[in-house]
Amino acid sequence: MATAIVLLNFGEPADPDRETVLEYLTRIFYDNASLEDAESEEEAWERSRELAQRRLPGLMEEYEEIGGSPLQGQAGEQADALEETLADRGHDVEIYHAMQFMEPLIDDIPATLADDGIDEVIALPIYPLCGPSTTVSSIDSLEEAIDDHDDYDPAFSAVTGWHRAPTYNRIRAESIGSFLEENDIDPNDPDTAFVFSAHGTPMKYLDEGFRYDQYVEEHAEAVAGIVGIDDYEIGYQNHANRGIEWTAPETEEVVEGLGEDFERVVVEPMSFMHEQSETLVELDVDLAEDAAEVGLDLYRVPVPHDDPRFPGLLADITEPFLSQFAPSYYQLRQCQCRDEEGTYCFNAELPPQDA
């Protein structure tokens, strides 16, 4: 069988072109249209376009400030590195990367897979923390796109949450440790605060049973323990635009509240495996300005997107599917966030043991 791994990402415009950014935003809002009630698909698209037009000026400023997002290039480099790593391990597998909201779009990938004669597809979202509008939505989109492609029916499996993988925690912890050492910062100095900043999500998703906030909290606790950080705060980078409740507290509010007690704050962008507008603008520019206004120096930990261990981590995660042994051997179990056959994660709770 010809096997492919499809790395799934959010996507961002590599160039600050107005029409490109507008289409990108419209796709995002439409993907989350269920947050509001629409009487028809046409109405949902119209509302998505309205929200995109409203968000466009601010996002254009962000992309113009950084000259476009580096996410696409970093995703391509990760795909190439994984393909090389798997080839070194003796696996004959094709690697593709697809984006939720930018080319190469997930909807367009099935035609390529079919033309290339792929018989088995393994979906692997590059989202460290499993979320409904990122991890789950991207896998759903890929499987639906494959189902909609005429006369193409490959075997399909997917991996969702993988933030509990020991190598990943070590990568994040050592990235933080190296950054602290390079900047001569003691995270337990009484004048230093430490903040884990996670991508926010609408509370409606959590009320429906998704456990994203729990994953954020447990991952922060684990990494802080490895690094040796005694005290820390957690904040969420929200993008409120529909008048709905999002995760709290916001990172901005957390940092602004630290000004009276600390001289500096270190921020770790724990939800991200690429540098993108949320890190390069929201943290490096906007949050740094907010910190300065309350007398804080802000230090932002870089995203370890090019850590040489990361391709090996992704290879380990997909090893059971490529080598035909039970995913449970690597502690991968049936995913509960996406309770579909063939979907595995490290986050599923163990079944109760018989007395």
Side-chain angles (χ1 to χ4, degrees):
M1 293 179 65
T3 302
I5 297 172
V6 181
L7 303 181
L8 302 172
N9 288 281
F10 198 83
E12 274 197 322
D15 297 303
D17 174 76
R18 189 177 186 84
E19 284 304 313
T20 300
V21 176
L22 179 61
E23 289 302 314
Y24 161 74
L25 283 169
T26 303
R27 294 183 187 117
I28 295 174
F29 287 121
Y30 182 75
D31 191 63
N32 292 278
S34 63
L35 292 169
E36 297 178 319
D37 295 324
E39 294 183 357
S40 66
E41 184 176 348
E42 181 181 0
E43 184 178 308
W45 274 111
E46 289 178 357
R47 174 60 170 159
S48 299
R49 194 75 168 182
E50 174 192 341
L51 292 168
Q53 292 278 12
R54 185 188 305 173
R55 177 74 176 93
L56 180 62
L59 192 58
M60 280 299 300
E61 288 183 10
E62 294 183 10
Y63 288 137
E64 288 170 350
E65 187 159 10
I66 61 175
S69 173
L71 187 156
Q72 305 288 109
Q74 292 174 7
E77 291 168 359
Q78 289 172 344
D80 292 342
L82 175 58
E83 188 166 35
E84 182 178 348
T85 299
L86 288 172
D88 289 344
R89 295 186 182 189
H91 293 296
D92 182 15
V93 57
E94 298 292 329
I95 308 296
Y96 302 79
H97 68 101
M99 307 291 169
Q100 288 181 269
F101 308 114
M102 280 298 302
E103 291 81 6
L105 289 167
I106 290 173
D107 284 349
D108 298 332
I109 288 296
T112 303
L113 298 173
D115 289 344
D116 291 349
I118 300 300
D119 304 300
E120 179 182 14
V121 175
I122 303 163
L124 179 59
I126 307 301
Y127 298 116
L129 299 158
C130 180
S133 61
T134 50
T135 306
V136 176
S137 179
S138 64
I139 296 173
D140 286 347
S141 296
L142 179 59
E143 187 165 32
E144 290 167 7
I146 290 174
D147 289 343
D148 290 341
H149 192 78
D150 293 338
D151 301 322
Y152 185 51
D153 187 27
F156 186 86
S157 55
V159 178
T160 55
W162 45 269
H163 73 272
R164 291 183 182 177
T167 299
Y168 178 66
N169 287 269
R170 176 56 57 184
I171 288 173
R172 290 314 287 226
E174 291 184 4
S175 173
I176 295 169
S178 297
F179 180 79
L180 294 173
E181 183 176 355
E182 290 169 5
N183 289 276
D184 195 24
I185 297 174
D186 177 359
N188 299 317
D189 185 297
D191 292 324
T192 300
F194 195 97
V195 175
F196 287 96
S197 186
H199 196 289
T201 197
M203 287 300 298
K204 180 180 178 181
Y205 291 139
L206 303 185
D207 293 339
E208 291 173 350
F210 287 99
R211 299 179 295 174
Y212 176 74
D213 56 336
Q214 298 177 40
Y215 302 151
V216 168
E217 292 168 5
E218 70 179 23
H219 183 59
E221 181 180 12
V223 172
I226 296 172
V227 178
I229 300 170
D230 294 337
D231 297 299
Y232 59 86
E233 303 284 344
I234 295 174
Y236 291 90
Q237 293 173 239
N238 295 325
H239 298 109
N241 42 53
R242 298 180 188 263
I244 59 177
E245 185 181 3
W246 281 61
T247 37
E250 293 196 13
T251 300
E252 176 184 351
E253 295 175 354
V254 170
V255 169
E256 289 175 345
L258 298 171
E260 294 184 3
D261 301 315
F262 299 94
E263 294 181 2
R264 68 192 65 84
V265 57
V266 179
V267 178
E268 153 70 358
M270 64 184 300
S271 289
F272 304 98
M273 205 55 226
H274 305 96
E275 295 288 5
Q276 52 201 90
S277 62
E278 283 94 340
T279 59
L280 300 174
V281 178
E282 290 183 15
L283 298 182
D284 292 354
V285 179
D286 298 340
L287 190 63
E289 291 175 356
D290 296 332
E293 289 180 2
V294 295
L296 287 171
D297 293 327
L298 186 141
Y299 295 81
R300 200 268 291 179
V301 181
V303 175
H305 62 89
D306 56 352
D307 189 288
R309 292 167 293 184
F310 190 56
L313 165 62
L314 299 181
D316 289 345
I317 291 172
T318 55
E319 192 91 62
F321 308 95
L322 303 176
S323 300
Q324 306 301 312
F325 61 87
S328 59
Y329 183 72
Y330 276 5
Q331 302 303 312
L332 285 160
R333 299 183 294 276
Q334 173 63 48
C335 179
Q336 295 172 352
C337 294
R338 186 180 190 267
D339 192 12
E340 301 288 342
E341 184 178 356
T343 304
Y344 299 87
C345 73
F346 291 98
N347 304 333
E349 296 178 358
L350 289 169
Q353 301 296 312
D354 294 334

